[in-house]
Amino acid sequence: MMAKVEEIFGTMVFNDFTMKQRLPKETFKAFKKSVSEGKPVARDIANVVANAMKDWAVEKGATHFTHWFQPMTGITAEKHDSFISPLDNGRVIMEFSGKELIKGEPDASSFPSGGLRATFEARGYTAWDPTSYAFIKENTLCIPTVFCSYGGEVLDKKTPLLRSMDVINVQALRILRLFGNNDVTHVTTTVGPEQEYFLVDKELYKKRKDLRFTGRTLFGAKPPKGQELDDHYFGAILPRVTEFMADLDEELWKLGILAKTEHNEVAPAQHELAPIFTNTNMSCDHNQLTMELMKKVADRHGLVCLLHEKPFAEVNGSGKHINWSLATDNGLNLLDPGRTPSENAQFLLFLCAVIKGVDEYQDMLRAVVATAGNDHRLGANEAPPAVISMFIGEELMDILESIEKGTVYKDRVASHMEIGVDTLPLFRRDTTDRNRTSPFAFTGNKFEFRMLGSSQSIAGPNIVLNTIVAEELEQFADVLEGAGDFKETLNGLIRKTISEHKRIIFNGNGYEDAWLEEAARRGLSNYRTTPDAMPHYVDAKNIALFTKHKVFTEVEMRSRCEVHLENYCKVIRIEALTMAEMVRKDIIPAAYTYLKRLSETAVAVKTACPELDCAMEINMLKYLRTLTDSLYVNINRLEGILTEAEECGSAEDAALYYRDKVLPVMGELRSAADEIERFVGEKYWPYPTYGELLYSV
């Protein structure tokens, strides 16, 4: 039976509650002061914190510690060291110093760097991130850290995320001061990522090479029943899944992760977990832990958790919606419409900063969600299209249009829309329906970015959102701080922003082809695949933005672009090689075995009844033989194309080659194999079918 939530929540986290109990009062105050001011923790303070942290961890059963970091692989990394220190008498004591807490030195040679370093340059450093709590995982004290090379180049996802959070804090405070808000000392972005995933039976999973090697099914005929009846969405949760969810909740709660909502998603075997909002840095850490624990807990229940964006064809894929907002240290949500004209004017200015930022940097938002897996999902009538647009709802759109035109806005009471005057209406929440087809939707007091793939780190999109909004806030502050008439300048600034950037706002159905045509007329970008989108990551304006705010250097941006393109190629290559092995070793032999059985049947029937023409058997033999011959021809084509791929020069050229040459042949292979599966007897087919996988739990 599950323990009481209040008793277990955060018990494996070295949080403020625990620190207050274990640290001297002055040490705790000095530590928190350093964190709040963004200053390094002094060595003497770190020594006391380290010792208390070690004692707490050992009492909890920990024997090792690790600097837990997030390299550019998109997952987490850790190197474990024990607490033991030898004594002269042959015994050991458990020690942990401030030096070990603050800094580590893992081998960095085998992590992706995109040309930032040579393979033989192995030295890398991890540095403690005291803004995110240490925690215990499987008897190891995990210390969240940043990761950089010997030369200081950033090799992780946490460092630029922290930088972007600092940048938006500075610029948001400038705006708040202009509105007379002097009580706020810090502004942070908050995130609540909705995590979608599939659960399948572990024994069936083991029989699928494609799932084991690539995380998705490369073959599979459509089952008789998919998601057509919509009977899985929000349906009753099956007992086996309920047990998994309960176990997962308990593990997450122990780590202080605010797991809140869980339900069945649209596709069979698909589910979702959503947490309560927290600051972006901790939310990123928590989401990485959530994905790891999903896999481990599923394994304990004889299940496998699939986080690939498109593990099954013909049913919905999995995404990760990012609910992003801005919050002050005294509890104000800056994307929440206010109760007074001044608060509403402030809200409108922050809203305009987001609108302008998304319009000007739509290519960056598309690039940071571009992966081989997500290419299968975006624009597939189950996820937002590849075109970036914003949904804000009809009422808010009417208000913005009234502001732009200087006309009267009529809701229940007619009100003139001049910014800053007492007649500005109160905005009402939930007056418009939610738009599930929009990539970037305003949902009352936050924006929901829906393009991210389920397996991806939320760091990348949040780095971009934080930085682009900070840039727009800076531009606004520069104008307003020098204004002679604040209200008049504010009014003109908001009107100008709406007029110049309203093209990004679209409240209609993003799944319709007509929208793609309309988006093109508006001049919005439509980068349908990773090779289309990723090169824009290093467009001159984007490099200028991130280097200006010191979130990335130009070299770091170019390296990340190369890492993402190389990963795209590697993923497709692994999938292609897996397909080749499955076809040669399993599917062709299965087809020939069935063909032999058909031939023997035809001969037996003809022998027993010479007057029968055996047309059915002969026609099926011909059809299946044609499909099998197609497999043989295309598998040889694919292997030849893969050999030629090694001759591609740049990462961009290679990515285009894999998209244009490799993927089409893979598609032909799949088409033939899936058609064969429809006819081959069940006992001859070498793999569990879609029907078995999707309805196994």
Side-chain angles (χ1 to χ4, degrees):
M1 185 176 179
M2 183 186 291
K4 289 185 178 180
V5 177
E6 301 95 319
E7 294 175 359
I8 65 170
F9 191 86
T11 52
M12 305 305 281
V13 185
F14 197 68
N15 51 27
D16 285 357
F17 177 81
T18 302
M19 282 189 270
K20 278 185 178 180
Q21 291 180 321
R22 291 180 171 269
L23 293 176
K25 187 175 181 179
E26 292 306 313
T27 301
F28 178 74
K29 287 175 63 178
F31 170 73
K32 294 301 290 183
K33 186 172 186 292
S34 296
V35 172
S36 64
E37 294 177 353
K39 295 179 179 179
V41 178
R43 179 60 62 86
D44 60 330
I45 299 298
N47 280 328
V48 178
V49 173
N51 190 61
M53 193 184 288
K54 178 264 298 179
D55 288 345
W56 167 80
V58 170
E59 289 172 18
K60 294 284 187 181
T63 56
H64 290 70
F65 69 92
T66 182
H67 276 196
W68 186 79
F69 58 100
Q70 299 173 37
M72 285 189 280
T73 55
I75 57 175
T76 57
E78 49 197 67
K79 181 188 76 170
H80 295 194
D81 290 291
S82 71
F83 289 120
I84 65 169
S85 182
L87 296 173
D88 292 339
N89 62 3
R91 305 283 291 174
V92 297
I93 59 172
M94 305 292 267
E95 287 187 336
F96 184 53
S97 68
K99 179 181 178 182
E100 291 172 306
L101 171 62
I102 291 171
K103 183 179 178 181
E105 189 180 328
D107 186 329
S109 62
S110 295
F111 289 110
S113 72
L116 281 176
R117 55 191 290 112
T119 303
F120 63 83
E121 296 172 331
R123 194 181 297 275
Y125 295 111
T126 50
W128 178 30
D129 169 21
T131 66
S132 188
Y133 298 131
F135 55 91
I136 296 172
K137 177 169 67 80
E138 297 177 343
N139 296 325
T140 298
L141 173 66
C142 298
I143 302 155
T145 58
V146 299
F147 180 47
C148 65
S149 72
Y150 178 73
E153 296 90 357
V154 174
L155 297 175
D156 71 338
K157 292 180 176 287
K158 179 180 276 277
T159 304
L161 180 63
L162 292 171
R163 290 173 178 172
S164 72
M165 293 174 69
D166 288 342
V167 170
I168 199 169
N169 169 55
V170 170
Q171 302 306 329
L173 285 174
R174 290 178 67 191
I175 297 295
L176 292 177
R177 298 294 182 259
L178 287 165
F179 284 90
N181 191 332
N182 297 311
D183 298 330
V184 175
T185 61
H186 192 82
V187 176
T188 188
T189 52
T190 61
V191 175
E194 302 170 17
Q195 179 71 58
E196 295 177 344
Y197 61 97
F198 281 81
L199 290 175
V200 297
D201 184 85
K202 182 163 66 174
E203 294 306 313
L204 296 179
Y205 167 88
K206 289 178 180 179
K207 297 175 182 178
R208 295 280 314 209
K209 293 178 183 178
D210 45 6
L211 283 178
R212 287 189 285 116
F213 293 154
T214 74
R216 75 179 183 103
T217 53
L218 301 173
F219 300 103
K222 184 179 179 180
K225 181 178 183 290
Q227 62 190 53
E228 300 87 351
L229 298 178
D230 298 319
D231 54 344
H232 191 257
Y233 190 51
F234 278 21
I237 301 172
L238 295 171
R240 199 171 172 191
V241 178
T242 299
E243 292 171 4
F244 158 81
M245 288 180 171
D247 196 359
L248 176 63
D249 281 341
E250 185 164 351
E251 294 294 334
L252 293 174
W253 289 336
K254 288 177 185 176
L255 291 171
I257 297 173
L258 296 161
K260 176 73 171 177
T261 304
E262 52 202 20
H263 61 83
N264 290 347
E265 255 300 333
V266 174
Q270 189 184 32
H271 312 279
E272 181 181 293
L273 171 69
I276 298 173
F277 286 49
T278 187
N279 81 70
T280 304
N281 183 35
M282 292 187 66
S283 182
C284 185
D285 287 355
H286 286 173
N287 185 248
Q288 293 291 336
L289 280 170
T290 298
M291 290 190 288
E292 178 183 338
L293 284 169
M294 280 177 166
K295 289 181 173 292
K296 290 181 177 179
V297 172
D299 186 69
R300 294 205 296 255
H301 289 263
L303 302 170
V304 172
C305 175
L306 302 177
L307 293 173
H308 194 283
E309 286 72 25
K310 191 72 170 176
F312 301 99
E314 305 291 345
V315 298
N316 279 15
S318 296
K320 180 148 46 190
H321 297 179
I322 300 174
N323 294 281
W324 181 92
S325 193
L326 282 160
T328 66
D329 56 350
N330 60 358
L332 178 67
N333 182 343
L334 298 177
L335 291 180
D336 199 351
R339 294 183 177 86
T340 67
S342 177
E343 288 177 352
N344 273 335
Q346 178 181 286
F347 158 74
L348 285 170
L349 192 62
F350 278 99
L351 177 68
C352 283
V354 180
I355 292 171
K356 186 170 182 283
V358 172
D359 185 29
E360 292 182 340
Y361 297 98
Q362 53 188 275
D363 51 353
M364 276 299 295
L365 285 170
R366 174 65 183 94
V368 292
V369 299
T371 66
N374 215 19
D375 281 359
H376 294 291
R377 170 179 163 267
L378 293 178
N381 283 349
E382 64 196 60
V387 177
I388 302 284
S389 66
M390 297 177 68
F391 167 86
I392 62 172
E394 296 301 330
E395 182 184 51
L396 192 50
M397 188 67 217
D398 289 345
I399 289 173
L400 295 185
E401 288 180 347
S402 295
I403 293 171
E404 179 193 4
K405 297 173 184 176
T407 58
V408 173
Y409 167 73
K410 293 184 178 180
D411 58 354
R412 294 176 183 174
V413 179
S415 306
H416 191 266
M417 291 303 300
E418 183 179 346
I419 300 300
V421 301
D422 293 340
T423 54
L424 186 68
L426 297 179
F427 299 151
R428 302 185 303 278
R429 286 194 192 174
D430 301 327
T431 56
T432 58
D433 199 0
R434 300 183 74 185
N435 188 324
R436 303 303 300 180
T437 71
S438 176
F440 199 88
F442 183 68
T443 56
N445 60 356
K446 64 186 185 298
F447 278 98
E448 186 176 358
F449 185 42
R450 298 170 175 152
M451 295 182 77
L452 189 66
S454 53
S455 67
Q456 291 180 265
S457 165
I458 68 170
N462 281 291
I463 292 167
V464 174
L465 282 172
N466 293 347
T467 308
I468 64 177
V469 175
E471 168 65 17
E472 309 306 347
L473 293 175
E474 181 183 45
Q475 291 182 23
F476 290 172
D478 288 346
V479 171
L480 294 170
E481 285 172 350
D485 186 323
F486 177 75
K487 286 186 178 180
E488 182 179 345
T489 306
L490 174 64
N491 193 47
L493 182 60
I494 291 179
R495 281 180 175 164
K496 182 175 184 288
T497 303
I498 296 167
S499 177
E500 293 178 354
H501 300 285
K502 63 184 179 181
R503 66 171 186 167
I504 199 71
I505 299 171
F506 176 65
N507 291 330
N509 184 359
Y511 290 164
E512 292 180 345
D513 291 338
W515 162 236
L516 298 182
E517 297 171 5
E518 170 65 19
R521 285 193 292 271
R522 295 187 186 192
L524 303 181
S525 59
N526 183 8
Y527 304 126
R528 301 190 64 181
T529 67
T530 296
D532 294 323
M534 205 62 225
H536 294 283
Y537 191 93
V538 290
D539 282 352
K541 71 178 180 65
N542 296 330
I543 290 176
L545 170 73
F546 287 93
T547 55
K548 169 188 174 182
H549 292 289
K550 296 182 172 57
V551 174
F552 290 118
T553 66
E554 180 174 348
V555 172
E556 288 167 350
M557 289 191 72
R558 294 193 180 281
S559 72
R560 277 159 176 74
C561 180
E562 186 167 335
V563 165
H564 287 301
L565 288 171
E566 287 178 347
N567 183 72
Y568 174 85
C569 297
K570 289 174 181 176
V571 166
I572 295 176
R573 186 174 186 84
I574 291 169
E575 290 180 349
L577 291 172
T578 302
M579 286 188 96
E581 179 170 319
M582 293 173 74
V583 169
R584 284 201 184 280
K585 293 187 175 181
D586 301 317
I587 295 177
I588 288 178
Y592 277 137
T593 300
Y594 192 64
L595 283 169
K596 180 184 177 184
R597 176 63 174 164
L598 275 177
S599 300
E600 291 171 345
T601 301
V603 171
V605 169
K606 194 68 175 176
T607 301
C609 303
E611 68 278 8
L612 295 179
D613 60 7
C614 298
M616 182 270 289
E617 290 87 350
I618 292 171
N619 288 336
M620 188 176 290
L621 277 168
K622 288 179 178 178
Y623 186 55
L624 289 177
R625 178 55 191 259
T626 300
L627 291 170
T628 307
D629 287 348
S630 170
L631 285 180
Y632 181 76
V633 169
N634 281 317
I635 204 65
N636 289 325
R637 281 179 62 205
L638 182 63
E639 290 171 343
I641 290 170
L642 289 175
T643 300
E644 293 175 7
E646 298 173 3
E647 300 173 7
C648 291
S650 67
E652 187 174 343
D653 288 342
L656 289 168
Y657 184 91
Y658 274 94
R659 184 194 67 185
D660 297 337
K661 300 294 184 182
V662 178
L663 285 177
V665 181
M666 290 172 63
E668 291 182 40
L669 272 173
R670 173 162 195 159
S671 179
D674 290 356
E675 183 67 4
I676 291 172
E677 183 186 341
R678 290 180 59 237
F679 288 92
V680 169
E682 188 172 317
K683 70 176 183 178
Y684 297 93
W685 197 246
Y687 308 117
T689 64
Y690 266 28
E692 293 173 290
L693 288 165
L694 291 171
Y695 297 96
S696 63
V697 180

